[in-house]
Amino acid sequence: MAGADVLIASNRGPLSFRRTTAGEVEAARGGGGLVSAMTAAAGDEGSLWLCATLSDVDRDVAGSAPDGRIDLAGYDTGGAAVTMLVIDAETLHGAYTSVSNETLWRLNHDLVDAAKPPSYDDQWRQDWAAYVAYNDRFAAAIADTAAPDAKVLVQDYHLDLAPTMIRERRPDLRIAHFTHTPWAKPQTFDYLPSDVGCDIINGLLGADTLGFHSQRWADDFGECAVAATGAKYDGEAVELGERRVPLRILPLGVETAPLLSRAAEPDVADRVRELRSSVGDRQIVGRVDRTEPAKNVRIGLVAFAELLRREPQHLDRVVHVVLAYPSRQDVEEYRTYTDQCVSTAEQINAEFGTPDWQPVLLEVRDDYPRSLATLKLSDVLLINPLRDGMNLVAKEGALLSPDSVLVLSREAGAADEMAADALLVDPTDVGATAVALHEALTMPAAERARRHAGLVATATALPPHAWLERQLEELG
Ligand code: G6P
């Protein structure tokens, strides 16, 4: 391809690859909200999506595709031109597992326990060097493939250093960075070694604009920039030396037509039938999440049990359907968390279940049609993260179900827009979550319909195409 006019850079791409027991390569859709959004928006002529190889099989596929272009190697990327950069296992471990997931993700989601503060040893410093190299790899690839004056949209905390690295190589390019997570509070960001904190802020300030899903996360970033580098923040932009970088609030929504048409496919209809036959005519409290401590799946289960204890009319009348995608199983905390969710579900089933009724159906597996079926059939959608950049599932769920009630954590970015129509809860308050679940399950039809219409309007207000366009327009 001649130089690309629009480049998107993200760690995870639209597909990941695995090998079947017969040794065949099989492509699967990448998990998480970022991929859903980018897949809906990235297919335009002249655009190129750069992502990383995240496994040995990804490396095999990308290594044998022309210039890493997996779309040209015959894989269905939904119409997007996609280059997978081959990142070796050691660099990936340092950059993705250690720095991005174990350090930055935890800080951004405020998952730091003051009683067990993080420490940074020589190994971590090597991992940080890998993070720098990884960002540099993206910057180099972008510099090599971008047309003159092209626009570059850099995504998320894996690539916080890339904006400045790109600018140094190609000052002609216009660069936007978007953070899909919350941003750390200043006192939490302070847990980073100060040189690293400074590098992260300076890396991001190489962009022409910085995007966030919520004003709350932008303000946290602004305050961290002030504390770490002495920059100025006035609520709209961060100023450091010569640079004044505006912070933009662009709450991502969902693209209606592709989501509805995917949900109308036969594999989803099969899953709907299966789910309905195991649940019968009982109500469904559904959720679809990665097995991720910040998503707070386990406290959701505990709150469901509390509901059954407090409101016995729901016994045998409701099922909590939890579809948990395995996520980041390289990180020990995620493996332990997954096990805890499974054992909590088993305890609830042992305590309340009967021969005819299993109160919790929890599945730890990556099954997109089953997720869509769960969202379609949910009477109540439970989304109670401890902290979450946006939570696109809250929006997808509204669109897919005819009238589900949303029980939503006030700590999700989505709460900014959905507060009036959802039932908001504190994610750590088990009793209040149980009360909200009861209210949702017993809500009169007219109120359900009214709230649901509001949720749908919010969910579709800024679909990925428009979200992306807005960033391109702002780059001029
Ligand atoms: C969040 C992040 C994304 C990430 C997704 C899935 O939504 O903001 O950048 O892709 O989680 O996580 P994973 O580590 O599996 O890519």
Side-chain angles (χ1 to χ4, degrees), residues 4 13 24 31 81 83 98 109 135 152 207 210 274 299 320 328 333 336 349 429 470:
E24 308 272 302
T83 294
S98 170
H109 289 82
N135 274 255
V152 186
L210 295 174
E274 283 163 24
I299 294 301
H320 188 15
R328 303 182 191 161
E333 188 188 355
T336 314
N349 286 335
D429 191 337
R470 283 269 293 280

Side-chain angles (χ1 to χ4, degrees), residues 9-22:
S10 66
N11 173 67
R12 185 171 289 283
L15 297 177
S16 58
F17 298 96
R18 54 194 172 209
R19 232 173 253 292
T20 62
T21 39

Side-chain angles (χ1 to χ4, degrees), residues 12 31-34 96 101 105 156-158 180-181 290 327-328:
R12 185 171 289 283
L34 181 146
Y96 171 64
N101 290 341
W105 177 275
D156 239 353
Y157 56 97
H158 316 87
H180 291 262
T181 61
R290 291 182 299 105
S327 178
R328 303 182 191 161

